[in-house]
Amino acid sequence: KPIVMPRQILMFLLYKNAHMTYTEIADFLGGRDHTTIMHGSKKIGVLLQKDPRLQTEITELEKRLHIV
């Protein structure tokens, strides 16, 4: 359970910034179903609209990864 949110953030970042498909991300994360990746990525997208703290955290991650 404590790894769910970080994994969903990873899904979101891979989709948004690495331009990987949901299927590619699913394979990368150990063969999960692509619909799981869609759900996780979209969930983070929705949370970003409501949670300024999460926005800051993801922006900081992107900076650390030299994405932004």
Side-chain angles (χ1 to χ4, degrees):
K1 191 99 178 174
I3 197 166
V4 171
M5 180 72 106
R7 184 183 294 134
Q8 289 175 334
I9 290 171
L10 175 60
M11 293 171 187
F12 174 82
L13 290 174
L14 289 172
Y15 184 75
K16 176 185 173 208
N17 297 302
H19 308 292
M20 293 173 73
T21 66
Y22 292 127
T23 303
E24 290 170 332
I25 297 167
D27 290 343
F28 180 74
L29 294 178
R32 299 191 179 315
D33 189 86
H34 75 282
T35 58
T36 301
I37 307 305
M38 287 173 56
H39 171 77
S41 181
K42 289 179 181 186
K43 180 177 177 182
I44 296 301
V46 168
L47 288 174
L48 279 172
Q49 303 299 317
K50 303 174 185 176
D51 187 346
R53 193 179 111 245
L54 182 61
Q55 291 172 3
T56 301
E57 289 177 11
I58 289 183
T59 299
E60 286 302 314
L61 275 171
E62 290 174 326
K63 286 179 185 175
R64 284 182 173 177
L65 296 169
H66 304 286
I67 296 171
V68 193

